[in-house]
Amino acid sequence: MRAVLFDGERAEVVDDLEVRRPGPGEVLVAVAAAGLCHSDLSVVDGTIPFPVPVVLGHEGAGVVEAVGAGVTHVVPGDHVALSTLANCGACADCDRGRPTMCRQAIGRPGQPFLRDGRPVYQFASNSAFAERTVVKAVQAVRIPRELPLVSAALIGCGVLTGVGAVLNRARVDRGDTVVVIGTGGIGLNVIQGARVAGALRIVAVDSNPGKEEMARRFGATDFLTSVGGVRDLLPTGADHAFECVGRVELIRAAVDLLDRHGQAVLLGVPPATAEASFRVSALYLDKSILGCRYGSARPQRDIALYAELYRAGRLLLDELVTRTYPVEDFAKAAADAEAGRVARAVLTFSA
């Protein structure tokens, strides 16, 4: 079968990958579509260290092909969106409703694939850039059939992370003011999460002026090309500032833009060894810097919620998809994503 494989030097489309059958508590999914996220590209450029060879992709949707023993919440033929959380469901963090903190779900890559008889790693417990993948049952969330799979593919990472950071981590409230630094796939979902939460003012900041129209479509009330103009709009600062780029100077800017009791939420991914600095006094008056893993999501709950918000016309998914590419055009999709020509590129698989 076809897949996008990274061997440590280059990512390429191969057609000789094999995937095993699902074991107990697992689901085999025929992937229909998968979003190309910068996290996938960060594996290729070394920003995110990961063992190789590895099948990339972690934002996908498809159709259940087979289930292992003990799986009852989905059956073959169901449409599902895939999450990256292979959480155990039984530890203290899972029991507290914090599956993103499950220690069984972090840093333990599996190898459900074979190529030339050799095992191949799975990225983010998912590997959606493959025609078929095996995931833990908890990662497969049933979605309505009328939800297009190309759009549904984006729920599993970009939407969960961006909207979840607003609703679950920051808990933006009605009337709050929000600054979103970076309006790529994650930033757009932060913007629409703030809109859904009832934020009064949502200031989008991106150095590319061409992104203003999209940012406003998703809910931005203002658009700036530099953080330097934020104080002109919000003289006392923002209740919430989301850094969605992954640059340390913008992390500092997010902290400096806070009002009293404000929160800076870090969503961008700088290099693993990056360090950011800020004035300690900047955190007085109950200000906070919050990390956020995967939108502090509970995927079985949140994906179903976001699907319903989409059906109600309150959450934009179709509009996130700038362009679709057959999986064979992965290199073109990656180049367009790197150049900022697309909010989200989606790879598709067809027979």
Side-chain angles (χ1 to χ4, degrees):
M1 68 177 188
R2 293 168 297 166
V4 178
L5 183 77
F6 176 58
D7 63 5
E9 295 184 0
R10 60 192 296 260
E12 63 178 340
V13 179
V14 301
D15 61 6
D16 56 352
L17 197 74
E18 300 175 48
V19 63
R20 63 172 173 77
R21 299 292 295 175
E26 294 180 332
V27 177
L28 175 66
V29 176
V31 178
L36 175 57
C37 176
H38 276 281
S39 293
D40 300 303
L41 301 178
S42 292
V43 173
V44 176
D45 67 21
T47 301
I48 297 178
F50 206 88
V52 294
V54 57
V55 176
L56 299 175
H58 64 286
E59 186 180 67
V63 180
V64 174
E65 195 164 279
V67 300
V71 177
T72 59
H73 75 289
V74 293
V75 298
D78 279 347
H79 288 202
V80 293
L82 302 178
S83 86
T84 69
L85 281 182
N87 58 295
C88 71
C91 68
D93 284 306
C94 286
D95 192 52
R96 292 176 183 141
R98 302 189 308 207
T100 58
M101 296 296 103
C102 176
R103 287 172 171 80
Q104 298 298 318
I106 302 174
R108 301 184 182 211
Q111 294 176 299
F113 304 106
L114 287 176
R115 188 180 187 220
D116 295 329
R118 298 176 181 176
V120 175
Y121 284 102
Q122 184 175 43
F123 179 53
S125 302
N126 190 308
S127 289
F129 293 170
E131 288 187 82
R132 290 173 181 80
T133 190
V134 170
V135 297
K136 292 185 69 171
V138 72
Q139 296 176 254
V141 184
R142 188 169 55 194
I143 57 174
R145 286 180 177 269
E146 61 265 33
L147 204 168
L149 289 172
V150 167
S151 299
L154 303 185
I155 299 179
C157 179
V159 176
L160 273 182
T161 299
V163 178
V166 173
L167 301 183
N168 300 329
R169 187 65 168 127
R171 298 186 181 274
V172 173
D173 201 359
R174 291 163 296 182
D176 283 356
T177 55
V178 174
V179 174
V180 182
I181 303 173
T183 62
I186 298 299
L188 288 176
N189 281 296
V190 172
I191 290 170
Q192 70 170 335
R195 171 177 51 78
V196 169
L200 179 64
R201 200 159 191 182
I202 305 168
V203 181
V205 182
D206 199 293
S207 60
N208 182 354
K211 293 187 176 183
E212 179 174 1
E213 180 182 355
M214 184 73 79
R216 289 188 180 275
R217 182 185 304 176
F218 276 73
T221 59
D222 303 272
F223 185 90
L224 299 170
T225 56
S226 169
V227 293
V230 173
R231 286 284 181 175
D232 294 330
L233 300 175
L234 303 173
T236 63
D239 296 311
H240 311 274
F242 295 83
E243 201 283 338
C244 306
V245 180
R247 287 168 45 187
V248 294
E249 68 272 21
L250 295 178
I251 292 173
R252 168 65 180 267
V255 174
D256 290 343
L257 289 173
L258 296 178
D259 195 358
R260 299 181 179 192
H261 203 70
Q263 300 178 128
V265 184
L266 311 186
L267 296 175
V269 182
T273 57
E275 296 182 359
S277 63
F278 57 91
R279 293 191 305 272
V280 175
S281 60
L283 295 186
Y284 294 158
L285 299 175
D286 289 353
K287 300 178 186 181
S288 306
I289 300 174
L290 303 180
C292 183
R293 171 172 161 76
Y294 203 43
S296 301
R298 286 178 277 176
Q300 287 289 335
R301 180 203 66 169
D302 290 351
I303 289 176
L305 169 62
Y306 300 158
E308 289 304 313
L309 288 173
Y310 167 83
R311 292 210 292 182
R314 298 178 60 193
L315 194 74
L316 304 181
L317 294 180
D318 304 336
E319 294 82 355
L320 283 169
V321 181
T322 311
R323 183 176 172 184
T324 61
Y325 304 75
V327 67
E328 289 80 6
D329 288 346
F330 167 76
K332 170 63 175 170
D336 286 348
E338 289 276 30
R341 290 188 287 265
V342 292
R344 248 327 183 253
V346 176
L347 302 180
T348 59
F349 293 87
S350 58

